[in-house]
Amino acid sequence: MHQATRDNQTTRAEVNVDGRSSLAERKRKRQRELRKDPAYVERERERRRERYQTDPVYAERIRERERERQRERYQTDPAYAERKRENERKRYLTDLAYAEGQKIYKKIYQRIKIQTSNKEEAKEQAVIARARYLQSFHSANEVV
């Protein structure tokens, strides 16, 4: 009994018959063409938006991926890091709600971290406190 080795086996995607492109290549071309179609792009964007709002695990995975990309870019691109710092300085000086929200966040975070030694819990509580402040600030300043 002879069994073919893994090197001798070909998958359907690898077969190139009579000069035709492989199945995988055709699929890649089709995806590239679809990405140029505005209707397709809009449908995909809407699907992602819907899933982001209804699937918390997906949303957290996307947020974590984005944080990781930002962290990496911040460390590897000095011009980007400087722009981000400058924008934060400007916002802190001009947006009173943002500045006050950041102060509340830092104060709550430090207090809870000291009490529990749990950074994640401190972060969650501080985010909630900041969000409540910003919500009350914006609702108080709404023009009726």
Side-chain angles (χ1 to χ4, degrees):
M1 288 175 59
H2 175 65
Q3 184 177 2
T5 63
R6 194 160 176 80
D7 295 339
N8 294 338
Q9 296 173 348
T10 57
T11 63
R12 197 170 156 205
E14 295 171 0
V15 175
N16 190 344
V17 181
D18 299 330
R20 294 182 190 152
S21 61
S22 68
L23 178 64
E25 182 61 29
R26 281 182 286 175
K27 282 185 177 182
R28 274 194 297 274
K29 283 183 181 178
R30 183 170 179 256
Q31 288 291 15
R32 277 187 238 130
E33 290 169 4
L34 281 174
R35 280 190 231 127
K36 294 176 184 175
D37 179 15
Y40 174 80
V41 171
E42 186 56 36
R43 283 193 309 271
E44 283 300 304
R45 188 178 296 131
E46 185 59 38
R47 279 190 203 114
R48 273 187 252 116
R49 191 178 305 128
E50 178 70 26
R51 186 168 180 203
Y52 192 85
Q53 292 173 351
T54 58
D55 185 353
V57 175
Y58 174 78
E60 182 55 36
R61 194 170 55 241
I62 296 298
R63 281 192 295 267
E64 182 56 39
R65 194 177 300 152
E66 185 60 29
R67 280 192 295 265
E68 184 59 37
R69 255 191 304 229
Q70 292 287 334
R71 212 176 291 125
E72 187 176 316
R73 185 165 181 206
Y74 200 84
Q75 292 171 355
T76 58
D77 186 352
Y80 173 78
E82 184 55 38
R83 279 194 313 272
K84 291 290 271 185
R85 280 193 292 270
E86 187 59 34
N87 286 340
E88 286 297 311
R89 279 186 217 113
K90 285 179 185 175
R91 186 170 181 197
Y92 200 79
L93 294 172
T94 57
D95 187 349
L96 297 177
Y98 176 76
E100 191 60 32
Q102 288 301 97
K103 288 177 187 173
I104 289 170
Y105 177 89
K106 288 175 185 176
K107 186 170 70 174
I108 299 288
Y109 178 82
Q110 290 299 326
R111 189 178 76 222
I112 293 173
K113 195 173 94 175
I114 290 169
Q115 290 173 353
T116 66
S117 299
N118 185 343
K119 289 181 179 181
E120 287 302 314
E121 183 181 343
K123 179 181 172 187
E124 288 174 18
Q125 294 297 320
V127 166
I128 291 169
R130 179 176 56 195
R132 285 183 182 156
Y133 169 77
L134 291 174
Q135 185 178 12
S136 67
F137 179 85
H138 291 301
S139 63
N141 291 333
E142 269 184 12
V143 178
V144 178

